[in-house]
Amino acid sequence: YCTGRSVRGRPASGDARPETIEETAELVTARGGKGIAVRVDHSVEAEVEALCQRIRTEAGQLDVLVNDIWGGESLHELGLPFWKQSAQNARLMFERAIVTHVITSRHAVPLMLERDRGLIVEVTDGDHFGYRGGVAYDVTKMAVIRLAFAMSRDLRRTNITALAVTPGFLRSEEMLDGFGVTEANWRDGTKVNADFIASETPCYVGRAVAALAADPAVHQRAGRVVASWTLAREYGFTDLDGSQPHWADYFEKTYGTRYPVADEAAYASWFGGPIETALPDWPAY
């Protein structure tokens, strides 16, 4: 099920991108799946609830939920201090890229609970806890990471895994357009930004999700954030051209400094909070 607001002949209000959910569904089908396009505004709870009811009726189950709802590309103001950023843009970004994830998980996870199995993937930007160059953007992407962690605590006595995944320098359609290139000549984008040489297609992180979904030990990653390039080496998949872009390696080689990763030491302080210590059986199911 490929969901979103942009359908053929009816782009999302205020968004100029030509891509549609029908196109996404067709890409899924072309690769051997069965893509089903459903127009859903994930900020409207009734539409999300209807989507989940349709999935229950048609498919009878839900195995994987990928929360990649964003819609903030025109809203972030990277490089500006927060007192110069638009409060309205921040509000809309939080609504589109955080609240939508909460609403969607709220109505999708009960389908997983019925079978006591499933995978929830929160798509973010970066597998670290460092600053991301703009307050609203930073809060949004860190909130998604924290959301995966918080959901994993509520799900800890189930067989449902919630985690976060990040792509690297993503070579999306919008990014290609921004660099004035196509997928066929994307390397010319390095004339605009040399780091583009380490970019990856959206299929790379898609294959990361597929590998996680097929891993019987995926629960060991519950609550964590992990990168496409890390998973590529662990599971052995490649990008569409057979390469294995590795943003962290590129970063360290190019900038001569360690790439920070949210490892177990970084997560240590997230465990054992007062609620879990005083009320170990909370929340009650």
Side-chain angles (χ1 to χ4, degrees):
Y1 290 86
C2 306
T3 65
R5 298 178 302 153
S6 295
V7 297
R8 284 188 178 133
R10 185 184 174 189
S13 177
D15 294 331
R17 296 300 312 167
E19 295 82 25
T20 65
I21 55 175
E22 291 93 346
E23 178 186 358
T24 302
E26 289 165 1
L27 290 170
V28 171
T29 300
R31 285 171 169 77
K34 181 182 178 182
I36 303 171
V38 184
R39 188 190 186 281
V40 178
D41 184 335
H42 284 263
S43 67
V44 179
E45 189 169 6
E47 294 188 20
V48 176
E49 189 172 10
L51 165 69
C52 294
Q53 183 55 50
R54 174 175 173 176
I55 293 171
R56 174 182 279 108
T57 300
E58 294 180 353
Q61 66 190 64
L62 178 64
D63 300 300
V64 181
L65 167 64
V66 180
N67 269 331
D68 193 21
I69 313 160
W70 169 225
E73 200 62 40
S74 63
L75 301 174
H76 65 67
E77 299 169 288
L78 301 182
L80 283 181
F82 66 86
W83 58 90
K84 292 185 178 181
Q85 291 186 353
S86 164
Q88 179 57 31
N89 282 0
R91 188 194 308 274
L92 189 54
M93 187 184 295
F94 297 159
E95 172 76 14
R96 287 183 175 182
I98 301 175
V99 177
T100 55
H101 291 221
V102 175
I103 292 172
T104 304
S105 294
R106 159 65 184 87
H107 290 282
V109 170
L111 281 91
M112 296 180 175
L113 288 169
E114 291 172 4
R115 302 172 65 239
D116 191 27
R117 59 179 295 181
L119 174 65
I120 307 163
V121 178
E122 292 290 328
V123 179
T124 186
D125 180 7
D127 58 341
H128 58 83
F129 294 164
Y131 179 54
R132 287 166 170 76
V135 166
Y137 186 79
D138 179 79
V139 170
T140 297
K141 296 306 181 180
M142 273 301 296
V144 170
I145 293 173
R146 182 69 187 192
L147 180 58
F149 175 81
M151 288 193 297
S152 78
R153 303 315 295 155
D154 277 8
L155 292 166
R156 65 187 182 279
R157 294 192 295 275
T158 74
N159 291 310
I160 301 169
T161 301
L163 51 76
V165 174
T166 180
F169 198 148
L170 192 62
R171 206 157 65 244
S172 65
E173 294 90 343
E174 187 163 11
M175 189 67 74
L176 288 168
D177 286 351
F179 277 68
V181 295
T182 67
E183 184 59 29
N185 70 330
W186 69 266
R187 289 175 179 79
D188 290 344
T190 58
K191 299 173 184 177
V192 178
N193 185 332
D195 294 340
F196 202 52
I197 195 64
S199 63
E200 62 192 58
T201 75
C203 286
Y204 201 46
V205 72
R207 289 176 173 181
V209 172
L212 288 167
D215 186 351
V218 69
H219 198 67
Q220 295 176 9
R221 301 183 189 271
R224 307 309 198 274
V225 59
V226 65
S228 58
W229 58 87
T230 301
L231 295 173
R233 287 190 178 173
E234 289 189 20
Y235 291 115
F237 62 84
T238 66
D239 208 340
L240 294 179
D241 62 0
S243 66
Q244 278 190 325
H246 197 287
W247 176 251
D249 279 1
Y250 171 84
F251 179 90
E252 292 185 349
K253 180 179 179 181
T254 302
Y255 294 99
T257 186
R258 182 183 69 87
Y259 178 87
V261 176
D263 55 16
E264 288 304 301
Y267 272 96
S269 67
W270 286 23
F271 290 93
I275 289 291
E276 290 188 306
T277 300
L279 302 171
D281 295 327
W282 187 89
Y285 294 168

